[in-house]
């Protein structure tokens, strides 16, 4: 019931009470006057007539004054406490709002992946804001689009630091994240968590940088084991950037240690468009396995051109974020060779927690997050929530308190355990998918 409703009910009760008391007083005064008037008539039935009238007027005046006094007392005693005790709506204090920065590629070639990760973050934040464990606190997301530009992501991170945002989730790739992570070495006002970036250059780069996705060393080992049982000659195509070169070097090193020859290693530049020529040059080295280290939309035309060039071995993708897009391709093109994704990460670990996440995601966005990277966005936000100290607010939450909470993290996420090692990287949980009958099918999920 609102305060207005309570007030109206109390005024109604007051009016009824006052009217009842007034009627009672008037009846008593009337009875008193009648007795007095009758007694006067017996003593002097005629001579005292005007005296009785005067007496009656005097009693009326006294009774009216008494009624007014009683009425005032009743109003004061009844209404005044009501204003004191009536509950009033209390807005949530602004200092109970905790700001978390989010920097992701929400437009450009990486927009699909960036949006999936953002949606996962939003699901976790909504769970906290509407749950029973928030203690009146709310998380607000300050969301920025880096458009796939590492200089812009860096500038946005610096802006958030100046504004005092204590924790930031971002960005997607190593290339987009590296400058931000380096910034945390110089300034201690913000902690940075990357939901996906896991290049070698990021491993242990700063005491205030954390990787939700395990480092690429696990990926190199995982692919090396698979290839050692299935291949004799391997070719590697990789994005010619910090991340691509790092993944390529680690995979090539692991294959060399396993005595698996790498027939060729081809970089893919941002300006390359002739994927047909690239495919034919790769096939000249006669590989039976091609490892494709490409994490953006170029992955799709390269695979198409390899198929059209006549490759019939196996293609291993080191990134599975574009499985849904690949399935929209002509399945005959993709079915001419064995197509796998062998990742350093898992999309979702089977279990009740993942089922809960999928249900919440579908309610908010009417989409299935099972084969996207949304789980890594969700886990990034959940790890931050787990790191919040009790009763913290805008004024007491700092990057240092978040960092201490992350150090103690024992959160088991929908994408695997998030217990950070001495270099602030989470442990490994890995998927292996195969393209079969026009769909990618999960073969295994391994926790390392």
């Amino acid at each position: 019931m609102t305060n207005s409703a309570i007030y109206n009910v109390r005024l109604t009760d007051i009016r009824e009470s006052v009217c009842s008391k007034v009627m009672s007083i008037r009846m008593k005064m009337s009875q008193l006057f009648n007795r007095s008037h009758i007694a006067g008539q017996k003593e002097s039935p005629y001579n005292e007539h005007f005296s009785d009238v005067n007496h009656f007027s005097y009693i009326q005046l006294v009774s009216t004054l008494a009624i007014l006094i009683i009425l005032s007392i009743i109003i004061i005693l009844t209404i005044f406490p009501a204003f004191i005790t009536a509950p009033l709506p209390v807005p949530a204090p602004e200092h109970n709002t905790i700001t978390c920065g989010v920097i992701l590629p929400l437009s450009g070639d990486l927009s699909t992946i960036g949006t999936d990760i953002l949606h996962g973050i939003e699901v976790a934040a909504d769970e906290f804001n509407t749950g029973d464990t928030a203690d009146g606190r709310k998380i607000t997301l300050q969301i920025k689009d880096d458009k796939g530009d590492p200089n812009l992501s860096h500038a946005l991170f610096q802006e958030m630091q100046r504004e005092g945002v204590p924790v930031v989730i971002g960005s997607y790739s190593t290339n987009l994240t590296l400058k931000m992570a380096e910034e945390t070495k110089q300034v201690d006002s913000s902690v940075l968590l990357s939901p996906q970036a896991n290049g070698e250059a990021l491993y242990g780069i700063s005491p205030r940088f954390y990787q939700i996705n395990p480092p690429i060393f696990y990926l190199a080992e995982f692919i090396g084991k698979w290839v050692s049982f299935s291949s004799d000659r391997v070719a590697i195509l990789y994005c010619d950037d910090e991340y691509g070169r790092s993944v390529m070097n680690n995979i090539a090193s692991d294959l060399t240690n396993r005595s698996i020859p790498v027939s060729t290693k081809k970089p893919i530049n941002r300006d390359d468009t002739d994927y047909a020529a690239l495919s034919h040059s790769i096939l000249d080295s006669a590989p039976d396995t091609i490892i494709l280290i490409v994490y953006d939309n170029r992955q799709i035309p390269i695979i198409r051109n390899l198929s059209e060039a006549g490759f019939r071995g196996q293609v291993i993708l080191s990134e599975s974020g574009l499985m849904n897009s690949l399935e929209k391709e002509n399945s005959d093109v993709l079915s001419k060779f064995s197509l796998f994704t062998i990742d350093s990460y898992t999309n979702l670990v089977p279990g009740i927690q993942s089922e809960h996440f999928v249900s919440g995601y579908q309610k908010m966005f009417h989409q299935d997050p099972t084969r996207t990277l949304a789980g890594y966005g969700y886990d990034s936000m959940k790890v931050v929530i787990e790191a919040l100290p009790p009763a913290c607010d805008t004024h007491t939450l700092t990057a240092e308190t978040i960092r201490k909470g992350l150090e103690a993290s024992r959160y088991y996420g929908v994408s695997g355990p998030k217990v950070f090692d001495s270099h602030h990287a989470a442990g490994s949980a890995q998927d292996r998918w195969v393209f079969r009958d026009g769909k990618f099918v999960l073969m295994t999920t391994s926790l390392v």
Side-chain angles (χ1 to χ4, degrees):
M1 181 181 293
T2 64
N3 289 331
S4 177
I6 294 172
Y7 179 71
N8 290 336
V9 170
R10 287 176 174 168
L11 286 182
T12 301
D13 294 341
I14 291 168
R15 284 195 294 267
E16 292 178 355
S17 175
V18 169
C19 290
S20 174
K21 293 181 183 299
V22 168
M23 291 299 296
S24 175
I25 292 170
R26 291 186 63 87
M27 289 178 63
K28 290 181 180 180
M29 296 298 295
S30 177
Q31 291 172 358
L32 177 62
F33 166 75
N34 289 337
R35 286 196 298 271
S36 176
H37 182 66
I38 292 170
Q41 284 181 333
K42 289 180 179 179
E43 295 175 2
S44 179
Y46 299 107
N47 296 335
E48 300 296 326
H49 174 69
F50 289 100
S51 176
D52 290 339
V53 171
N54 291 337
H55 184 64
F56 173 70
S57 299
Y58 174 76
I59 292 176
Q60 274 191 319
L61 177 62
V62 172
S63 65
T64 301
L65 290 174
I67 291 171
L68 290 174
I69 293 171
I70 294 171
L71 178 61
S72 300
I73 294 172
I74 292 172
I75 291 173
I76 291 172
L77 294 178
T78 307
I79 295 180
F80 187 69
F83 281 109
I84 295 176
T85 60
L88 296 173
V90 180
E94 290 185 2
H95 64 265
N96 274 0
T97 299
I98 299 167
T99 300
C100 176
V102 178
I103 301 173
L104 290 168
L106 303 176
S107 59
D109 291 344
L110 299 173
S111 60
T112 298
I113 296 172
T115 300
D116 288 338
I117 294 173
L118 172 61
H119 285 172
I121 293 171
E122 290 174 324
V123 171
D126 181 71
E127 286 180 0
F128 179 80
N129 290 339
T130 59
D132 298 329
T133 59
D135 298 327
R137 296 175 292 172
K138 299 291 182 184
I139 287 177
T140 182
L141 301 176
Q142 186 178 130
I143 302 168
K144 300 292 184 180
D145 177 13
D146 63 30
K147 302 179 182 180
D149 181 349
N151 292 322
L152 179 56
S153 65
H154 183 217
L156 292 171
F157 182 63
Q158 289 178 316
E159 179 183 324
M160 288 185 181
Q161 286 187 315
R162 289 192 295 270
E163 294 174 357
V165 178
V167 57
V168 177
I169 298 173
S171 181
Y172 162 58
S173 67
T174 298
N175 187 42
L176 291 171
T177 307
L178 187 56
K179 288 186 177 181
M180 294 193 293
E182 289 174 338
E183 183 77 16
T184 63
K185 293 190 295 185
Q186 310 299 327
V187 183
D188 61 0
S189 57
S190 295
V191 168
L192 177 66
L193 292 89
S194 178
Q196 263 292 295
N198 65 344
E200 186 175 7
L202 293 172
Y203 190 58
I205 191 172
S206 166
R208 285 171 292 278
F209 173 73
Y210 291 80
Q211 295 177 224
I212 300 300
N213 190 19
I216 59 169
F217 316 121
Y218 296 109
L219 171 63
E221 182 181 2
F222 204 36
I223 290 180
K225 287 180 179 179
W226 174 266
V227 172
S228 66
F229 290 106
S230 61
S231 301
D232 294 318
R233 288 173 62 83
V234 177
I236 303 177
L237 279 76
Y238 62 95
C239 287
D240 193 16
D241 57 25
E242 182 73 34
Y243 175 74
R245 290 189 294 270
S246 177
V247 176
M248 182 273 296
N249 287 331
N250 277 273
I251 291 177
S253 176
D254 189 88
L255 292 175
T256 299
N257 293 335
R258 298 175 189 274
S259 300
I260 305 296
V262 177
S263 61
T264 186
K265 296 179 283 188
K266 289 283 186 180
I268 304 171
N269 299 309
R270 173 61 65 178
D271 297 331
D272 289 342
T273 57
D274 190 357
Y275 301 121
L278 177 67
S279 298
H280 285 289
S281 68
I282 285 289
L283 298 188
D284 287 343
S285 63
D288 57 11
T289 294
I290 297 175
I291 300 172
L292 192 58
I293 306 168
V294 178
Y295 52 81
D296 56 25
N297 289 338
R298 290 175 292 176
Q299 187 184 91
I300 297 171
I302 291 171
I303 292 174
R304 187 189 307 127
N305 277 272
L306 286 172
S307 177
E308 293 171 352
F311 181 67
R312 297 297 180 264
Q314 68 174 351
V315 174
I316 297 175
L317 308 178
S318 67
E319 308 288 334
S320 64
L322 295 172
M323 285 194 295
N324 289 336
S325 298
L326 279 167
E327 286 180 350
K328 296 176 183 178
E329 286 285 299
N330 186 336
S331 63
D332 290 339
V333 172
L334 302 184
S335 299
K336 290 181 179 178
F337 47 73
S338 298
L339 180 60
F340 299 91
T341 71
I342 300 180
D343 311 304
S344 62
Y345 55 85
T346 179
N347 291 79
L348 291 178
V349 176
I352 294 176
Q353 188 163 343
S354 292
E355 292 173 2
H356 173 75
F357 161 65
V358 171
S359 175
Y361 191 99
Q362 289 174 331
K363 287 180 181 178
M364 287 188 69
F365 301 108
H366 310 290
Q367 296 173 352
D368 183 4
T370 304
R371 298 190 303 172
T372 72
L373 299 181
Y376 282 84
Y378 179 82
D379 280 346
S380 298
M381 188 74 256
K382 291 288 284 187
V383 165
V384 170
I385 291 170
E386 292 288 324
L388 295 176
C392 68
D393 56 30
T394 301
H395 303 303
T396 61
L397 184 64
T398 65
E400 181 60 18
T401 56
I402 288 287
R403 190 192 65 78
K404 289 180 178 179
L406 293 173
E407 291 293 326
S409 175
R410 294 297 180 268
Y411 170 69
Y412 193 101
V414 301
S415 61
K418 303 306 170 190
V419 178
F420 298 103
D421 63 19
S422 59
H423 288 76
H424 296 170
S428 179
Q430 301 167 318
D431 278 351
R432 183 185 294 124
W433 297 75
V434 60
F435 186 78
R436 183 183 297 153
D437 299 326
K439 294 284 186 181
F440 279 96
V441 179
L442 180 64
M443 297 174 64
T444 60
T445 296
S446 302
L447 300 180
V448 180

